[in-house]
Amino acid sequence: MKKIFITVAAIAACTLVSCEKEAITVDHVDEAAYANVGTLVGSLRDLSTNKTSQVVEIRSEEITRSVVFALPRAAAANVQVKVALDAEYLREYNEKHGTSFELFPSELVAIQDNGEVTVEAKKTRSGSLDVTLSPLGDKEEKTYLLPLKASTSAGGVKVSEERVVYLVKNMAFQTTVSTDDPARKKVNVWIEVNNTNPLNMLQFETEDGHLLIDHLVLFAYNINYDAEKGKVYCFANPQCQYILDHYNEIVRPLRERGMKVFISVLGNHDASGLAQLSDAGARAFAQEMKALCEGYGFDGVNYDDEYSNSPDLSIPWFTSRSQAAGNRLYYETWKAMPDKEMMSYQYGSALGNAAVDGVEPGEYMAWAVGDYGRRGVAYSGMTNAQVSYQSSEFAQWRSTPTESTVSQWMASDYGLWMIFSLWNDSKNLQRDWNAMNILSKAIYGCELKKPTKFYPQTKSLDYVSLEW
Protein backbone atom coordinates (compact mmCIF):
# COMPACT_ATOMS: atom_id res chain seq x y z
CA MET A 1 0.00 0.00 0.00
CA LYS A 2 2.93 2.37 0.79
CA LYS A 3 4.37 1.77 -2.69
CA ILE A 4 1.01 2.53 -4.32
CA PHE A 5 0.60 5.73 -2.29
CA ILE A 6 4.09 6.92 -3.20
CA THR A 7 3.46 6.24 -6.91
CA VAL A 8 0.13 8.12 -6.93
CA ALA A 9 1.68 11.03 -5.05
CA ALA A 10 4.49 11.20 -7.56
CA ILE A 11 2.08 11.31 -10.48
CA ALA A 12 0.09 14.09 -8.82
CA ALA A 13 3.23 16.10 -8.18
CA CYS A 14 4.30 15.78 -11.81
CA THR A 15 0.86 16.92 -12.92
CA LEU A 16 1.06 20.02 -10.72
CA VAL A 17 4.48 20.88 -12.11
CA SER A 18 3.20 20.51 -15.68
CA CYS A 19 0.29 22.85 -14.89
CA GLU A 20 2.65 25.48 -13.61
CA LYS A 21 4.82 25.31 -16.73
CA GLU A 22 2.06 25.28 -19.38
CA ALA A 23 -0.97 27.58 -19.47
CA ILE A 24 -4.35 25.94 -20.17
CA THR A 25 -6.46 27.54 -22.88
CA VAL A 26 -10.21 27.19 -22.54
CA ASP A 27 -12.31 27.81 -25.68
CA HIS A 28 -15.39 30.06 -25.46
CA VAL A 29 -18.33 28.21 -23.91
CA ASP A 30 -21.80 28.84 -25.27
CA GLU A 31 -23.74 29.46 -22.08
CA ALA A 32 -27.11 29.53 -23.88
CA ALA A 33 -27.33 25.74 -23.62
CA TYR A 34 -27.37 26.07 -19.84
CA ALA A 35 -29.72 29.04 -19.61
CA ASN A 36 -32.73 26.94 -18.50
CA VAL A 37 -30.96 24.79 -15.91
CA GLY A 38 -32.71 26.64 -13.10
CA THR A 39 -35.98 27.08 -15.00
CA LEU A 40 -38.97 24.78 -14.84
CA VAL A 41 -40.82 24.43 -18.14
CA GLY A 42 -44.40 23.37 -17.54
CA SER A 43 -46.92 22.09 -20.07
CA LEU A 44 -50.68 21.96 -20.42
CA ARG A 45 -52.16 18.52 -21.10
CA ASP A 46 -55.51 16.81 -21.51
CA LEU A 47 -56.12 15.08 -18.19
CA SER A 48 -57.48 11.74 -19.42
CA THR A 49 -55.04 11.15 -22.28
CA ASN A 50 -52.00 13.26 -21.30
CA LYS A 51 -51.94 14.46 -24.92
CA THR A 52 -51.70 17.93 -26.38
CA SER A 53 -54.03 17.14 -29.29
CA GLN A 54 -57.39 15.41 -28.88
CA VAL A 55 -60.44 14.83 -31.08
CA VAL A 56 -63.73 15.24 -29.22
CA GLU A 57 -67.27 14.81 -30.47
CA ILE A 58 -70.26 16.95 -29.56
CA ARG A 59 -73.91 16.20 -30.27
CA SER A 60 -77.05 17.56 -28.66
CA GLU A 61 -75.71 17.78 -25.10
CA GLU A 62 -72.80 19.63 -23.55
CA ILE A 63 -69.51 17.81 -23.08
CA THR A 64 -66.68 18.35 -20.62
CA ARG A 65 -62.95 17.73 -20.92
CA SER A 66 -60.35 18.46 -18.24
CA VAL A 67 -56.86 19.90 -18.52
CA VAL A 68 -53.95 19.87 -16.10
CA PHE A 69 -50.69 21.84 -15.88
CA ALA A 70 -47.62 19.69 -15.19
CA LEU A 71 -44.01 20.47 -14.21
CA PRO A 72 -40.98 18.22 -14.78
CA ARG A 73 -40.12 18.54 -11.06
CA ALA A 74 -41.60 20.22 -8.04
CA ALA A 75 -41.34 23.97 -7.59
CA ALA A 76 -40.25 25.51 -4.29
CA ALA A 77 -43.30 27.79 -4.11
CA ASN A 78 -46.87 27.83 -5.42
CA VAL A 79 -47.19 28.40 -9.17
CA GLN A 80 -50.27 30.30 -10.34
CA VAL A 81 -51.44 29.29 -13.83
CA LYS A 82 -53.99 30.90 -16.13
CA VAL A 83 -55.63 28.84 -18.90
CA ALA A 84 -57.46 30.63 -21.69
CA LEU A 85 -58.70 30.23 -25.26
CA ASP A 86 -55.89 31.08 -27.69
CA ALA A 87 -57.81 32.35 -30.72
CA GLU A 88 -54.68 33.76 -32.37
CA TYR A 89 -53.26 30.24 -32.76
CA LEU A 90 -55.94 29.30 -35.31
CA ARG A 91 -54.07 30.70 -38.31
CA GLU A 92 -50.77 29.11 -37.29
CA TYR A 93 -52.41 25.72 -36.82
CA ASN A 94 -54.20 25.81 -40.17
CA GLU A 95 -51.02 26.86 -41.97
CA LYS A 96 -49.05 24.07 -40.29
CA HIS A 97 -51.55 21.35 -41.18
CA GLY A 98 -52.92 22.70 -44.44
CA THR A 99 -56.40 22.78 -42.90
CA SER A 100 -59.17 25.36 -42.84
CA PHE A 101 -60.81 24.79 -39.46
CA GLU A 102 -62.87 27.51 -37.86
CA LEU A 103 -62.59 28.48 -34.21
CA PHE A 104 -65.11 26.81 -31.90
CA PRO A 105 -67.45 29.64 -30.79
CA SER A 106 -66.00 31.20 -27.65
CA GLU A 107 -69.48 31.88 -26.25
CA LEU A 108 -70.03 28.10 -26.09
CA VAL A 109 -66.87 27.53 -23.99
CA ALA A 110 -66.80 27.69 -20.19
CA ILE A 111 -63.53 27.15 -18.31
CA GLN A 112 -63.81 26.30 -14.64
CA ASP A 113 -62.73 28.94 -12.08
CA ASN A 114 -62.08 31.47 -14.83
CA GLY A 115 -59.16 29.33 -16.00
CA GLU A 116 -57.14 29.85 -12.80
CA VAL A 117 -55.37 26.91 -11.20
CA THR A 118 -52.41 26.37 -8.87
CA VAL A 119 -49.47 23.98 -8.77
CA GLU A 120 -48.80 23.81 -5.07
CA ALA A 121 -45.27 23.96 -3.69
CA LYS A 122 -43.43 20.63 -3.74
CA LYS A 123 -45.94 19.19 -6.24
CA THR A 124 -45.58 18.59 -9.98
CA ARG A 125 -49.19 18.85 -11.13
CA SER A 126 -52.00 21.31 -10.70
CA GLY A 127 -55.56 20.39 -9.94
CA SER A 128 -57.71 19.79 -13.00
CA LEU A 129 -59.72 22.44 -14.82
CA ASP A 130 -62.97 21.47 -16.50
CA VAL A 131 -63.59 22.83 -19.99
CA THR A 132 -67.29 22.59 -20.86
CA LEU A 133 -68.57 22.92 -24.42
CA SER A 134 -72.21 23.62 -25.24
CA PRO A 135 -73.91 22.17 -28.37
CA LEU A 136 -73.63 24.11 -31.61
CA GLY A 137 -77.35 24.07 -32.33
CA ASP A 138 -77.15 22.69 -35.87
CA LYS A 139 -76.50 19.31 -37.50
CA GLU A 140 -73.84 20.27 -40.04
CA GLU A 141 -70.96 17.78 -39.88
CA LYS A 142 -68.01 20.05 -39.28
CA THR A 143 -64.79 20.20 -37.26
CA TYR A 144 -63.83 23.23 -35.17
CA LEU A 145 -60.56 24.09 -33.45
CA LEU A 146 -60.37 24.90 -29.74
CA PRO A 147 -56.78 25.83 -28.72
CA LEU A 148 -56.09 26.38 -25.02
CA LYS A 149 -52.93 28.02 -23.74
CA ALA A 150 -51.45 28.34 -20.25
CA SER A 151 -49.54 31.32 -18.87
CA THR A 152 -47.80 32.03 -15.58
CA SER A 153 -45.82 34.91 -14.14
CA ALA A 154 -44.04 32.85 -11.50
CA GLY A 155 -40.30 33.31 -11.34
CA GLY A 156 -38.32 30.31 -12.56
CA VAL A 157 -41.31 28.78 -14.33
CA LYS A 158 -41.93 29.01 -18.05
CA VAL A 159 -44.65 27.49 -20.22
CA SER A 160 -43.80 25.26 -23.17
CA GLU A 161 -44.93 26.35 -26.60
CA GLU A 162 -47.34 23.42 -26.71
CA ARG A 163 -51.02 24.03 -26.32
CA VAL A 164 -53.87 21.67 -25.70
CA VAL A 165 -55.72 21.63 -29.02
CA TYR A 166 -59.19 20.11 -29.12
CA LEU A 167 -60.59 19.25 -32.55
CA VAL A 168 -64.31 19.46 -31.87
CA LYS A 169 -66.42 17.47 -34.33
CA ASN A 170 -70.10 18.29 -34.58
CA MET A 171 -71.76 14.88 -34.77
CA ALA A 172 -75.31 16.08 -34.10
CA PHE A 173 -76.44 14.43 -37.36
CA GLN A 174 -76.21 11.02 -35.65
CA THR A 175 -79.39 9.47 -34.33
CA THR A 176 -78.40 6.50 -32.16
CA VAL A 177 -74.86 6.75 -30.84
CA SER A 178 -72.85 3.63 -30.05
CA THR A 179 -69.35 5.06 -29.61
CA ASP A 180 -69.85 7.87 -27.09
CA ASP A 181 -68.56 5.98 -24.02
CA PRO A 182 -64.73 5.77 -24.14
CA ALA A 183 -64.66 3.19 -21.33
CA ARG A 184 -66.97 0.71 -23.08
CA LYS A 185 -65.52 -2.25 -24.95
CA LYS A 186 -65.75 -1.87 -28.72
CA VAL A 187 -66.31 -4.22 -31.65
CA ASN A 188 -63.99 -3.61 -34.60
CA VAL A 189 -65.23 -5.26 -37.84
CA TRP A 190 -63.44 -5.52 -41.19
CA ILE A 191 -65.38 -6.59 -44.28
CA GLU A 192 -64.12 -7.72 -47.66
CA VAL A 193 -66.18 -5.37 -49.80
CA ASN A 194 -65.79 -7.55 -52.89
CA ASN A 195 -68.33 -9.95 -51.39
CA THR A 196 -69.94 -8.12 -48.44
CA ASN A 197 -72.26 -5.15 -48.65
CA PRO A 198 -71.59 -2.71 -45.77
CA LEU A 199 -75.35 -2.26 -45.27
CA ASN A 200 -75.51 -5.77 -43.81
CA MET A 201 -73.72 -4.41 -40.74
CA LEU A 202 -76.86 -2.48 -39.79
CA GLN A 203 -78.51 -5.82 -39.00
CA PHE A 204 -76.35 -6.37 -35.92
CA GLU A 205 -78.47 -4.29 -33.57
CA THR A 206 -79.00 -4.85 -29.86
CA GLU A 207 -82.45 -5.20 -28.34
CA ASP A 208 -82.04 -1.80 -26.68
CA GLY A 209 -81.36 -0.11 -30.04
CA HIS A 210 -77.57 0.18 -30.30
CA LEU A 211 -75.49 -1.01 -33.21
CA LEU A 212 -73.07 -3.64 -31.94
CA ILE A 213 -70.34 -2.63 -34.41
CA ASP A 214 -68.39 0.46 -33.40
CA HIS A 215 -65.74 0.52 -36.15
CA LEU A 216 -66.32 -0.70 -39.70
CA VAL A 217 -63.22 -1.03 -41.87
CA LEU A 218 -63.80 -1.20 -45.63
CA PHE A 219 -61.24 -3.67 -46.96
CA ALA A 220 -59.69 -2.69 -49.22
CA TYR A 221 -58.66 0.17 -51.43
CA ASN A 222 -55.16 -0.04 -52.92
CA ILE A 223 -51.98 1.96 -53.11
CA ASN A 224 -50.62 1.95 -56.67
CA TYR A 225 -47.97 3.68 -58.77
CA ASP A 226 -48.87 5.30 -62.11
CA ALA A 227 -45.64 5.19 -64.10
CA GLU A 228 -46.99 7.40 -66.91
CA LYS A 229 -48.05 10.18 -64.54
CA GLY A 230 -45.17 9.53 -62.17
CA LYS A 231 -47.30 9.47 -59.02
CA VAL A 232 -48.64 7.17 -56.33
CA TYR A 233 -52.43 7.14 -55.98
CA CYS A 234 -55.29 5.36 -54.23
CA PHE A 235 -57.03 2.85 -56.50
CA ALA A 236 -60.66 1.76 -56.09
CA ASN A 237 -61.87 -1.44 -57.76
CA PRO A 238 -65.50 -1.57 -59.02
CA GLN A 239 -66.91 -2.62 -55.65
CA CYS A 240 -64.95 0.06 -53.77
CA GLN A 241 -65.93 2.67 -56.33
CA TYR A 242 -69.60 1.68 -56.04
CA ILE A 243 -69.45 2.45 -52.32
CA LEU A 244 -67.99 5.89 -53.08
CA ASP A 245 -70.58 6.57 -55.77
CA HIS A 246 -73.38 5.58 -53.37
CA TYR A 247 -71.95 7.09 -50.20
CA ASN A 248 -75.28 8.62 -49.12
CA GLU A 249 -77.10 5.30 -49.52
CA ILE A 250 -74.40 3.02 -48.05
CA VAL A 251 -71.93 4.80 -45.75
CA ARG A 252 -74.05 7.68 -44.49
CA PRO A 253 -76.71 5.41 -42.86
CA LEU A 254 -73.97 3.59 -40.94
CA ARG A 255 -72.45 6.81 -39.65
CA GLU A 256 -75.84 8.29 -38.77
CA ARG A 257 -76.36 5.34 -36.43
CA GLY A 258 -73.05 6.09 -34.69
CA MET A 259 -70.72 3.67 -36.50
CA LYS A 260 -67.27 4.93 -37.46
CA VAL A 261 -66.32 3.94 -41.00
CA PHE A 262 -62.65 3.60 -41.97
CA ILE A 263 -60.96 3.28 -45.35
CA SER A 264 -58.39 0.47 -45.43
CA VAL A 265 -55.54 0.70 -47.95
CA LEU A 266 -53.62 -2.38 -49.11
CA GLY A 267 -50.59 -2.96 -51.33
CA ASN A 268 -51.35 -4.05 -54.88
CA HIS A 269 -48.38 -5.90 -56.38
CA ASP A 270 -46.29 -3.00 -57.65
CA ALA A 271 -43.36 -0.88 -56.46
CA SER A 272 -45.52 1.35 -54.26
CA GLY A 273 -46.13 0.32 -50.69
CA LEU A 274 -47.28 1.63 -47.35
CA ALA A 275 -43.89 1.28 -45.66
CA GLN A 276 -41.64 2.22 -48.58
CA LEU A 277 -42.62 5.77 -49.49
CA SER A 278 -40.03 8.52 -49.19
CA ASP A 279 -40.78 11.42 -46.87
CA ALA A 280 -41.99 13.47 -49.84
CA GLY A 281 -43.95 10.48 -51.16
CA ALA A 282 -45.64 10.00 -47.79
CA ARG A 283 -46.69 13.66 -47.67
CA ALA A 284 -48.11 13.47 -51.18
CA PHE A 285 -50.03 10.23 -50.57
CA ALA A 286 -51.37 11.67 -47.32
CA GLN A 287 -52.93 14.46 -49.38
CA GLU A 288 -54.51 11.79 -51.60
CA MET A 289 -56.08 10.18 -48.53
CA LYS A 290 -57.18 13.55 -47.18
CA ALA A 291 -59.07 14.28 -50.39
CA LEU A 292 -60.74 10.86 -50.21
CA CYS A 293 -61.72 11.03 -46.53
CA GLU A 294 -62.87 14.63 -46.52
CA GLY A 295 -64.54 14.42 -49.91
CA TYR A 296 -66.63 11.39 -48.92
CA GLY A 297 -66.88 11.80 -45.14
CA PHE A 298 -65.00 8.82 -43.76
CA ASP A 299 -63.89 8.74 -40.11
CA GLY A 300 -60.35 7.51 -40.56
CA VAL A 301 -57.71 5.42 -42.32
CA ASN A 302 -56.09 2.04 -41.83
CA TYR A 303 -52.94 0.93 -43.65
CA ASP A 304 -52.27 -2.77 -44.24
CA ASP A 305 -48.69 -3.37 -45.38
CA GLU A 306 -49.09 -6.45 -47.59
CA TYR A 307 -48.76 -7.47 -51.27
CA SER A 308 -46.25 -4.80 -52.37
CA ASN A 309 -43.23 -5.50 -54.56
CA SER A 310 -39.74 -4.23 -53.77
CA PRO A 311 -39.47 -0.46 -54.26
CA ASP A 312 -37.62 1.06 -57.23
CA LEU A 313 -35.19 3.33 -55.40
CA SER A 314 -34.45 5.33 -58.56
CA ILE A 315 -37.97 6.81 -58.25
CA PRO A 316 -38.15 9.77 -55.82
CA TRP A 317 -41.50 8.53 -54.45
CA PHE A 318 -39.87 5.47 -52.88
CA THR A 319 -37.36 4.49 -50.21
CA SER A 320 -36.23 1.22 -48.64
CA ARG A 321 -38.97 -0.63 -46.83
CA SER A 322 -38.82 0.07 -43.10
CA GLN A 323 -40.90 0.73 -40.02
CA ALA A 324 -39.62 4.31 -40.07
CA ALA A 325 -41.23 4.80 -43.49
CA GLY A 326 -44.46 3.21 -42.23
CA ASN A 327 -44.50 5.54 -39.24
CA ARG A 328 -43.87 8.51 -41.50
CA LEU A 329 -46.92 7.72 -43.65
CA TYR A 330 -49.23 7.42 -40.64
CA TYR A 331 -47.82 10.64 -39.19
CA GLU A 332 -48.17 12.61 -42.43
CA THR A 333 -51.72 11.31 -42.93
CA TRP A 334 -52.71 12.36 -39.41
CA LYS A 335 -50.96 15.71 -39.83
CA ALA A 336 -52.92 16.35 -43.05
CA MET A 337 -56.28 15.57 -41.39
CA PRO A 338 -55.84 15.65 -37.59
CA ASP A 339 -59.58 15.29 -36.99
CA LYS A 340 -59.58 11.81 -38.54
CA GLU A 341 -58.55 8.63 -36.71
CA MET A 342 -55.56 6.48 -37.68
CA MET A 343 -55.80 2.72 -37.16
CA SER A 344 -52.77 0.42 -37.31
CA TYR A 345 -53.02 -3.16 -38.51
CA GLN A 346 -49.95 -4.68 -36.87
CA TYR A 347 -48.57 -6.65 -39.76
CA GLY A 348 -45.57 -6.11 -42.03
CA SER A 349 -43.74 -2.82 -41.59
CA ALA A 350 -46.75 -0.52 -41.45
CA LEU A 351 -45.82 0.89 -38.05
CA GLY A 352 -42.99 0.82 -35.52
CA ASN A 353 -42.70 2.45 -32.14
CA ALA A 354 -40.30 5.29 -32.94
CA ALA A 355 -41.21 8.97 -32.83
CA VAL A 356 -41.56 10.97 -36.06
CA ASP A 357 -40.28 14.55 -35.90
CA GLY A 358 -40.40 14.22 -32.13
CA VAL A 359 -44.04 13.06 -32.09
CA GLU A 360 -44.75 9.70 -30.41
CA PRO A 361 -47.13 7.23 -32.13
CA GLY A 362 -49.66 7.70 -29.36
CA GLU A 363 -50.23 11.28 -30.49
CA TYR A 364 -51.29 10.32 -34.02
CA MET A 365 -52.50 6.72 -33.65
CA ALA A 366 -56.01 6.10 -32.31
CA TRP A 367 -56.29 2.30 -32.57
CA ALA A 368 -53.96 -0.73 -32.90
CA VAL A 369 -55.22 -4.10 -34.16
CA GLY A 370 -53.25 -7.34 -33.97
CA ASP A 371 -53.17 -10.07 -36.59
CA TYR A 372 -55.47 -13.10 -36.33
CA GLY A 373 -55.07 -15.02 -33.09
CA ARG A 374 -52.77 -12.34 -31.68
CA ARG A 375 -53.16 -9.60 -29.15
CA GLY A 376 -52.43 -6.08 -30.28
CA VAL A 377 -49.57 -4.05 -28.84
CA ALA A 378 -49.90 -0.53 -27.46
CA TYR A 379 -47.41 1.86 -29.01
CA SER A 380 -45.69 4.57 -27.03
CA GLY A 381 -48.29 7.01 -25.75
CA MET A 382 -51.20 4.57 -26.16
CA THR A 383 -53.14 2.52 -23.61
CA ASN A 384 -54.53 -0.99 -23.94
CA ALA A 385 -58.01 0.55 -24.20
CA GLN A 386 -57.01 1.46 -27.78
CA VAL A 387 -55.75 -2.04 -28.59
CA SER A 388 -57.34 -5.34 -29.69
CA TYR A 389 -57.51 -8.24 -27.25
CA GLN A 390 -58.28 -10.77 -29.99
CA SER A 391 -58.59 -10.81 -33.79
CA SER A 392 -61.05 -13.28 -35.31
CA GLU A 393 -61.22 -14.54 -38.90
CA PHE A 394 -64.82 -15.54 -39.59
CA ALA A 395 -64.36 -16.74 -43.19
CA GLN A 396 -62.05 -19.51 -41.99
CA TRP A 397 -63.59 -19.56 -38.50
CA ARG A 398 -60.37 -18.89 -36.60
CA SER A 399 -60.04 -17.42 -33.08
CA THR A 400 -63.78 -16.67 -32.96
CA PRO A 401 -65.55 -15.39 -29.82
CA THR A 402 -66.58 -17.87 -27.15
CA GLU A 403 -68.20 -17.14 -23.81
CA SER A 404 -64.91 -17.97 -22.08
CA THR A 405 -62.63 -15.80 -24.24
CA VAL A 406 -65.08 -12.90 -24.26
CA SER A 407 -65.36 -13.08 -20.47
CA GLN A 408 -61.57 -12.87 -20.24
CA TRP A 409 -61.58 -9.88 -22.56
CA MET A 410 -64.21 -8.08 -20.50
CA ALA A 411 -62.04 -8.56 -17.39
CA SER A 412 -58.94 -7.18 -19.15
CA ASP A 413 -57.98 -3.58 -19.88
CA TYR A 414 -57.97 -4.17 -23.67
CA GLY A 415 -60.62 -2.17 -25.50
CA LEU A 416 -61.23 -3.88 -28.88
CA TRP A 417 -62.32 -7.20 -30.35
CA MET A 418 -61.47 -7.39 -34.06
CA ILE A 419 -63.47 -9.47 -36.57
CA PHE A 420 -62.70 -10.01 -40.26
CA SER A 421 -65.15 -11.21 -42.92
CA LEU A 422 -68.36 -11.03 -40.93
CA TRP A 423 -71.41 -12.41 -42.75
CA ASN A 424 -69.74 -12.76 -46.15
CA ASP A 425 -72.37 -15.31 -47.15
CA SER A 426 -76.03 -15.63 -46.14
CA LYS A 427 -75.39 -19.29 -45.34
CA ASN A 428 -73.13 -18.16 -42.48
CA LEU A 429 -75.73 -15.95 -40.85
CA GLN A 430 -76.78 -18.25 -37.98
CA ARG A 431 -73.18 -19.12 -37.12
CA ASP A 432 -71.96 -15.50 -37.29
CA TRP A 433 -75.00 -14.16 -35.43
CA ASN A 434 -74.45 -16.60 -32.55
CA ALA A 435 -70.85 -15.43 -32.15
CA MET A 436 -71.79 -11.75 -32.32
CA ASN A 437 -74.57 -12.38 -29.79
CA ILE A 438 -71.94 -13.48 -27.27
CA LEU A 439 -70.28 -10.09 -27.65
CA SER A 440 -73.61 -8.26 -27.38
CA LYS A 441 -74.58 -9.96 -24.13
CA ALA A 442 -71.16 -9.26 -22.63
CA ILE A 443 -70.98 -5.58 -23.65
CA TYR A 444 -74.61 -4.45 -23.44
CA GLY A 445 -76.18 -7.11 -21.26
CA CYS A 446 -78.80 -7.94 -23.90
CA GLU A 447 -79.14 -10.03 -27.04
CA LEU A 448 -79.09 -8.99 -30.66
CA LYS A 449 -82.28 -8.59 -32.64
CA LYS A 450 -82.89 -11.14 -35.38
CA PRO A 451 -81.74 -9.76 -38.78
CA THR A 452 -84.54 -9.09 -41.26
CA LYS A 453 -82.58 -8.13 -44.40
CA PHE A 454 -79.60 -9.39 -46.37
CA TYR A 455 -77.83 -7.49 -49.16
CA PRO A 456 -76.29 -10.23 -51.34
CA GLN A 457 -74.15 -7.96 -53.55
CA THR A 458 -71.81 -5.06 -52.93
CA LYS A 459 -72.71 -3.42 -56.25
CA SER A 460 -76.42 -3.24 -55.54
CA LEU A 461 -78.86 -1.71 -53.08
CA ASP A 462 -81.26 -4.62 -53.48
CA TYR A 463 -81.88 -6.90 -50.49
CA VAL A 464 -83.79 -10.05 -49.66
CA SER A 465 -86.01 -10.53 -46.64
CA LEU A 466 -84.92 -13.07 -44.03
CA GLU A 467 -86.93 -15.59 -42.09
CA TRP A 468 -85.68 -17.36 -39.00
Side-chain angles (χ1 to χ4, degrees):
M1 289 296 294
K2 286 183 178 179
K3 290 181 180 180
I4 294 173
F5 177 78
I6 293 171
T7 302
V8 172
I11 293 172
C14 291
T15 302
L16 290 172
V17 171
S18 299
C19 290
E20 291 175 357
K21 290 183 178 181
E22 184 176 348
I24 298 175
T25 302
V26 179
D27 292 335
H28 172 71
V29 176
D30 182 5
E31 297 181 359
Y34 307 99
N36 290 326
V37 170
T39 301
L40 292 174
V41 181
S43 61
L44 192 65
R45 298 273 169 170
D46 177 73
L47 177 64
S48 62
T49 65
N50 201 38
K51 295 181 180 181
T52 58
S53 178
Q54 186 71 27
V55 177
V56 295
E57 299 175 355
I58 190 166
R59 295 176 177 84
S60 59
E61 299 180 353
E62 67 179 28
I63 60 172
T64 299
R65 301 293 297 192
S66 299
V67 295
V68 64
F69 189 79
L71 297 171
R73 60 183 187 277
N78 287 354
V79 178
Q80 304 297 328
V81 181
K82 175 74 173 181
V83 177
L85 177 64
D86 186 14
E88 295 180 358
Y89 184 63
L90 178 67
R91 177 181 294 182
E92 180 181 337
Y93 185 95
N94 279 333
E95 289 179 352
K96 179 180 178 181
H97 290 270
T99 52
S100 56
F101 297 130
E102 296 178 13
L103 196 69
F104 189 83
S106 59
E107 65 272 18
L108 300 180
V109 183
I111 304 178
Q112 180 184 359
D113 296 332
N114 199 33
E116 297 176 357
V117 70
T118 301
V119 183
E120 296 180 357
K122 299 182 180 180
K123 292 187 178 180
T124 59
R125 289 165 67 93
S126 71
S128 62
L129 276 177
D130 287 346
V131 181
T132 302
L133 310 182
S134 297
L136 287 151
D138 63 61
K139 294 188 176 182
E140 180 185 5
E141 184 178 1
K142 191 174 181 179
T143 301
Y144 297 83
L145 200 73
L146 178 63
L148 300 176
K149 186 177 182 180
S151 61
T152 176
S153 57
V157 176
K158 294 184 177 180
V159 180
S160 73
E161 295 182 358
E162 293 179 327
R163 297 160 178 80
V164 166
V165 175
Y166 288 114
L167 294 140
V168 187
K169 301 179 70 172
N170 185 20
M171 307 295 282
F173 69 91
Q174 293 182 329
T175 53
T176 304
V177 181
S178 62
T179 58
D180 56 346
D181 182 2
R184 182 178 51 74
K185 304 289 188 181
K186 294 177 173 57
V187 179
N188 180 283
V189 170
W190 300 47
I191 58 169
E192 171 57 78
V193 298
N194 286 341
N195 56 28
T196 305
N197 191 314
L199 288 172
N200 286 325
M201 302 302 108
L202 288 172
Q203 297 298 301
F204 293 93
E205 182 180 8
T206 66
E207 289 180 341
D208 59 357
H210 290 90
L211 289 185
L212 178 61
I213 300 168
D214 299 284
H215 306 152
L216 181 64
V217 182
L218 303 180
F219 186 86
Y221 293 73
N222 296 110
I223 182 172
N224 275 114
Y225 178 65
D226 188 326
E228 292 185 4
K229 295 181 179 179
K231 64 171 291 187
V232 170
Y233 67 101
C234 185
F235 170 74
N237 70 14
Q239 289 76 18
C240 291
Q241 187 61 48
Y242 184 85
I243 293 173
L244 298 180
D245 294 340
H246 295 81
Y247 171 87
N248 287 329
E249 295 90 352
I250 297 177
V251 179
R252 185 72 176 182
L254 305 176
R255 299 187 66 237
E256 285 179 347
R257 292 292 308 278
M259 194 182 299
K260 291 186 177 180
V261 183
F262 292 76
I263 289 286
S264 183
V265 182
L266 181 70
N268 198 21
H269 308 286
D270 69 6
S272 64
L274 300 166
Q276 57 201 52
L277 295 178
S278 64
D279 288 0
R283 285 190 290 271
F285 190 70
Q287 292 299 316
E288 181 97 357
M289 296 310 300
K290 177 181 181 178
L292 181 61
C293 288
E294 293 185 350
Y296 289 97
F298 293 104
D299 294 287
V301 174
N302 163 265
Y303 291 132
D304 184 0
D305 183 36
E306 300 183 71
Y307 306 115
S308 292
N309 298 338
S310 297
D312 183 346
L313 299 182
S314 67
I315 299 174
W317 277 85
F318 307 135
T319 188
S320 298
R321 183 177 297 160
S322 68
Q323 288 188 343
N327 278 51
R328 170 64 67 177
L329 178 58
Y330 268 114
Y331 170 76
E332 296 293 348
T333 306
W334 165 80
K335 187 177 176 182
M337 44 180 180
D339 59 332
K340 304 295 183 181
E341 296 183 357
M342 302 296 108
M343 181 185 296
S344 167
Y345 183 62
Q346 297 180 319
Y347 190 87
S349 300
L351 192 85
N353 202 30
V356 180
D357 293 350
V359 181
E360 296 293 333
E363 285 285 342
Y364 55 83
M365 189 61 57
W367 310 101
V369 178
D371 194 23
Y372 306 129
R374 301 178 187 174
R375 197 159 296 172
V377 178
Y379 299 114
S380 178
M382 296 179 68
T383 68
N384 285 341
Q386 301 168 267
V387 178
S388 65
Y389 177 85
Q390 179 65 283
S391 293
S392 304
E393 215 282 18
F394 273 33
Q396 299 181 37
W397 207 240
R398 292 187 290 159
S399 306
T400 52
T402 65
E403 291 184 359
S404 175
T405 55
V406 171
S407 177
Q408 293 168 21
W409 170 49
M410 295 297 292
S412 76
D413 60 349
Y414 286 82
L416 303 182
W417 191 293
M418 181 271 200
I419 295 167
F420 179 76
S421 199
L422 173 65
W423 205 10
N424 66 340
D425 191 310
S426 61
K427 292 181 291 186
N428 297 331
L429 172 57
Q430 183 70 64
R431 181 198 68 179
D432 290 7
W433 185 89
N434 289 339
M436 297 296 283
N437 199 36
I438 294 173
L439 293 169
S440 178
K441 289 187 290 185
I443 298 171
Y444 287 102
C446 64
E447 293 197 348
L448 292 172
K449 296 178 181 178
K450 300 289 188 180
T452 59
K453 298 178 181 178
F454 178 71
Y455 295 82
Q457 298 181 22
T458 303
K459 293 179 63 178
S460 173
L461 298 175
D462 296 332
Y463 65 87
V464 296
S465 298
L466 296 176
E467 294 184 4
W468 286 68

